[in-house]
Amino acid sequence: MKRTVTLLLVAAFSIPSIRAQSPVKPITPAWTQVAPGVWKTTVGQAESITLLKAAGGQPAHSALKALPEIPFPLDPKEIEARTYDWKTSLRFPLGENEDIYGLGVDFASLRRNGTVFELHVDHWNRRAPTPGRTHAPVPLYVSTKGFAVLFDTPRYLKVNVGVGIRRAATVKPTPVDRTTRTIRPTKAGEEPVKATWVSRPPSDSVEVLANTLGMDVYVFAGPTPLDAVSRYNLFCGGGALPPKWGLGFMNRLKTAYSAADALADVATFREHGIPLDILGLEPGWMDHAYPCSYVWDPTRFPDPKGFLNELTRQGVRANLWINPYVGPPHTPLQPKLAPYSGSHLVWHGVVPDYTLQEPRKIFQEHFRQHVLAPDPVAVAGFKIDEVDGYDASLWPDMAIFPSGQHAEVLRQTYGLLVQHMIHDLYRERDQRTMGQIRGTNAGASPYPFVIYNDNYDFGEYITAVVNSGFVGVLWSPEVRGSNDPMDMLRRVQAVCFSPLALYNGWASEQKLWTHQEVADHIRDAIKLRLRLIPYFYSSFAQYHFQGTPVIRPMPLAVDMVKVEAKPSPATGALDATHNPYEVPAAVREVKDQYFFGDSLLVAPIAPADKTRKVVLPAGKWYDFYTGKLAGENTTIEVTPPLSQIPVFVKEGALIPMLAEDRPHAPAKGEILPLEIRHYGTAPSQAKIYDDDGETFAFERGEYSWTTLRVTRGADGKLRGEIIPDANGRTWSYSKIDWKFMTQP
Amino acid sequence: MKRTVTLLLVAAFSIPSIRAQSPVKPITPAWTQVAPGVWKTTVGQAESITLLKAAGGQPAHSALKALPEIPFPLDPKEIEARTYDWKTSLRFPLGENEDIYGLGVDFASLRRNGTVFELHVDHWNRRAPTPGRTHAPVPLYVSTKGFAVLFDTPRYLKVNVGVGIRRAATVKPTPVDRTTRTIRPTKAGEEPVKATWVSRPPSDSVEVLANTLGMDVYVFAGPTPLDAVSRYNLFCGGGALPPKWGLGFMNRLKTAYSAADALADVATFREHGIPLDILGLEPGWMDHAYPCSYVWDPTRFPDPKGFLNELTRQGVRANLWINPYVGPPHTPLQPKLAPYSGSHLVWHGVVPDYTLQEPRKIFQEHFRQHVLAPDPVAVAGFKIDEVDGYDASLWPDMAIFPSGQHAEVLRQTYGLLVQHMIHDLYRERDQRTMGQIRGTNAGASPYPFVIYNDNYDFGEYITAVVNSGFVGVLWSPEVRGSNDPMDMLRRVQAVCFSPLALYNGWASEQKLWTHQEVADHIRDAIKLRLRLIPYFYSSFAQYHFQGTPVIRPMPLAVDMVKVEAKPSPATGALDATHNPYEVPAAVREVKDQYFFGDSLLVAPIAPADKTRKVVLPAGKWYDFYTGKLAGENTTIEVTPPLSQIPVFVKEGALIPMLAEDRPHAPAKGEILPLEIRHYGTAPSQAKIYDDDGETFAFERGEYSWTTLRVTRGADGKLRGEIIPDANGRTWSYSKIDWKFMTQP
């Protein structure tokens, strides 16, 4: 078949000066409903690999069925597609009051309108940021009109969001003479009209283009933007549900640590009373790194099994650093993978073409036998590094791969392929994992791998946390050592309210207890993280079962406000694409605070700051620590003490927490006392999720949703009750202590 | 034919999952000599438009014949090409001591090794610079092995310069374990060897890739890198020879100036004794700008003919600002060009598809009849703005053009197409022009349009001057108003030693005489510029007739040093691609000084600096102003007085200058006294060029090369003589005054 293709291609292209037929005619794509509220079209030729295929998730059909039935959320006649030569482009309508979010994990801003992107897996370059060049350049955009669109292409994708006026637009801005700042008369007797000259007027379109013969596109309906993101996550397979221990605390060690050093570090954590669940071993666990041998180093880890046993006894699991670049040639895996690898080395190692099944099998077999084998329960996860770039640190676009897939396709999908490959090793063991990844893409929602990078700007880190919530990925603002105690403290507090709480000490001299003046606060922040596991875990369960992101950006999480249609300044006509609801202006670009789950509004404070503003949306908001009313639909200024990161709780929220401090997350089978906090004065209800916390039994129905209910009794006092899951399944909590934080 | 193509394409692509045949096999291109020292190959399918075709120059065959015969400067077996699907890539060898320059006008650095570029016409983004994204991203690289390579493609081009190790490389760096910083033993009994871990080892290749079905590639032989650049310039048609008045001084006016304001400005120049040749009229000469009507504004310019007559009487010519975006719809040219325009507006105007002949004819006819017509001699040039970007300010990649050419192709060639179109208007009048352009590309060498941009960093501006010399374009570090007198002074001094000396006052309050404390120095700098016209003009003539760039970067201009072959640290073998000559380390990355012509070494001083270092290459160098010896093969530190920009002159140099200050450049037919300066102590010889300074008669042989010779007489004194051109043609100079600056 391939040879036939080649011949036909040769025949077709023996005619010189190939160019797009003139003029290129757009087509109106036809949409097929593929799940409730999810439609698909294929423009041109389907690609053999797409992002969703590389990720490999299966849509959570029953969960999707549980969402409201809803019609196609756009006017299909407004959507155009073009294929010509090797280019595929689409146009979606964009209304005057329509805000666009998403399009990957950006570190600079939230709102996407007015920018041109090239979605391209790369390490975010903070000295010279290029829109779209980032670790997770997910080609999903979220519209405040209440839908999301995914361009499921493994290609670099140009996206113009409201930039570039089409001549075919029905409403175009009126030209203004820049010299006189007037609209010039077009007929005799007219006068010039004073006007503002706008250098970059908004366009009526979101337009995309890739060098490809075709692409799959999906539309996810709402009705709200949060619903649309939830449908996307469910369509990818539902969000990741990490093991309970994954929501504990991770410490990554210095790279040259031996087993003895590692165990000493664990002991010191225990001595200092700092919870610890995961010990991160850096490249030094291997006998060669950069490139990687994936062989335990005999000098530093002479007895991996013994070492791992001891970790388990301490209630700690190992997370091993790797990158996918294999070598040197004398190491056992390299000769097996080299024949399946690309034309160029990366980090001096071969780059296996994991679009092919054979190298995946070779990798997995080696990992079963040599890496996990000493203790497959204790080796509980991986940190997968350097799957992103920079350009000079990854294979060039010129590289050739044995599958015939283009280098560009490998780049856009490599993180997904490796996550999938490694996750399968845990799935086959019925053991959940928690890991880290530096490059990923659409379809990643089910994978419990959290993104990180080499940069370290606090503000950018928090913006990335926020943006991850739009596109079904997880970002952690990891902490590293610093001579500045406030830097370590405020960052630890922030990371404890993010998907993965970790200290990355791979290259740091400092420990979490180095700075005496803040050591207690640091420890307390981590302890609070552990105590909040029942709440965080329920939030992740919502992510899995309902698709609602764990981290909710303010524009997604707050109620929309109703707006009247305004006549266009250019024509006076009402905008036919008027969006009757919009995100309140106060939160449209709020990138330094976010929701964790339904009820907690987190506003991390930067190390250099003593005070910060917090935007409190509509409704009453209460201080997490004191239960006092903080405000309602307003912006407040807070001066948090060293012991606190600003966190606010919505009216009526029920926050389940472990009643006591723990040295690590609840283990499978542990039964622990629970504290349930109620905030505010209103009666309310919430569900708390539970399962065995470690295996995939929850996929086989072994989980519970237990209802927590607070009512006001005849005596005017609030009282709480538990209504167990009807099927009486897993419930890991013993005595329940109700705390009415605002009104006892 | 197009329909057949479509059918074949459809037939060919009805098979799903098209991907590159696996594996993709490289071919070894065959090279055809197309001129002395110039070879060409076509990989895959030739494009219907290339950069050289868009520029439209014809190789200067006789001039090329005058250069030394020289064999193909690489091992052809080392060059690989691949075409697969819609991708074309090439690989050229890169040696260990081989430095690469060129690849467009970069503002940050000179040497290209170790970087990944995407050559893509754009406005340089100084807040987030992306290598290759620049106004003139010329896909020509210059190798210190003494050759240059041009990838004549109208596509965005990825270029990896020594980045990305190929597995096929015969010499590869040995992997070093990053944890232990050792080369690990590969056999029993071996010991680890301490080694340096290198994150980004240099590769053995220059690799390029474009999304295209094929491309033309040219190799230009040396023997020196400067010769290779000269061959490139000659192959493009020879460098631009501007009119003499183009080397005078340009002042650009505030945009809303009327004819009366403009004439008042000219009068003030004359009152202040500041030379002036060109008056730049900004968008306000038109009755609509952004988009452009190309119609003289009746309010500000009620009598264009009268106004232009007066300019001519003052010895001044007009240069009109335009951008190519036409409108609004009620203006005369827009309805004619709209049918030939692209799908998107730029600056609210239509974008004519100037790859087609018809819109070019329409544009030219309108310009003849309405723009030039009041006085086609006085309207002597154009400033062509905004042909480059940013992305959000140009048509999107999704735009469709009536020719069927892709938007990407239009972007890469638009500046060339518009220069060509406008230059033809002057050629048909037998009248040379001088202009400005903000985006251009390969093939631009014959066009007298000088690049500029909106940024204003002094250091970046000078680096751009330097880099322009590698790739056959001209850059001017224009001056704008400032409250800081030193800023204006030092910038004026620098711009007077660049291809186009101008003050851009379009948005400035200040005039050149605003700051009393430096007004005299500013005037004197401009006067010196005028006096040096005979020298600058001869340098431009070398550019035209011999291809040697006017601005010569230090790496091109200095003598190479001989180097011995060194055994490779990895293998011990001698590098078969050893370059026996290399650029002296001291000048390899010297980006803040350059040669103007053969003899002047210019080292502009930044406004904020009082002193600067100057690298003086091999040989003796003399102070331009005093004739004193400044140094030899060394770095000196200078503290230039306010009155001087540091300029050094090489041993024996002969610098022809006008003997007297002039209010404007020499007019056609003017005979003026000449001063010839000799520097140093050595007898020497040089040629000075002359012609009528205004028309294309020089192309018909009406020019002279007059020899200047200095010898030492029996009395030990130096004396000069003139040996007129054998054919006794144009000679515009009367009495000759010899000045022996060093040794009278």
Side-chain angles (χ1 to χ4, degrees), chain B residues 245 277-279 281 296 304-305 307-313 316-320 371-381 426 429 431:
Chain B
W245 55 261
D277 281 89
I278 314 169
L279 197 66
L281 305 187
W296 288 92
K305 195 168 173 48
F307 162 71
L308 293 163
N309 278 348
E310 182 54 31
L311 274 191
T312 302
R313 252 205 311 283
V316 173
R317 288 169 171 78
N319 177 292
L320 308 186
V371 179
L372 300 175
D375 187 333
V377 173
V379 180
Y426 288 99
R429 292 181 149 63
Q431 178 184 338

Side-chain angles (χ1 to χ4, degrees), chain A residues 13 22 45 85 87 158 165 167 177-178 184 207 211 289-290 342-345 397 402 405-406 408, chain B residues 13 19 22 45 85 87 158 165 167 177-178 207 211 288-290 342-345 397 402 406 408:
Chain A
F13 294 130
S22 170
Q45 290 292 316
D85 301 318
K87 295 193 186 274
K158 285 278 168 66
I165 309 285
R167 290 174 65 195
D177 172 49
R178 191 175 181 187
R184 308 303 299 160
E207 300 194 78
N211 289 298
Y290 290 84
S343 56
H344 286 67
L345 301 176
D397 278 351
Q405 293 291 350
H406 296 170
E408 165 184 11
Chain B
F13 294 131
R19 70 177 85 110
S22 171
Q45 290 292 314
D85 301 318
K87 295 193 186 276
K158 283 277 167 68
I165 309 286
R167 290 173 66 194
D177 173 49
R178 192 175 180 187
E207 300 194 78
N211 289 297
H288 204 288
Y290 289 86
S343 56
H344 286 67
L345 300 177
D397 278 351
H406 297 170
E408 166 185 10

Side-chain angles (χ1 to χ4, degrees), chain B residues 190-208:
Chain B
E190 277 183 4
E191 288 299 309
V193 176
K194 275 203 171 314
T196 307
W197 185 81
V198 176
S199 66
R200 200 175 288 186
S203 87
D204 68 350
S205 301
V206 175
E207 300 194 78
V208 303

Side-chain angles (χ1 to χ4, degrees), chain B residues 507-523:
Chain B
S508 300
E509 289 309 320
Q510 296 83 0
K511 304 288 182 191
L512 291 171
W513 44 84
T514 294
H515 301 296
Q516 293 287 330
E517 59 271 58
V518 295
D520 286 354
H521 300 312
I522 285 177
R523 182 200 59 221

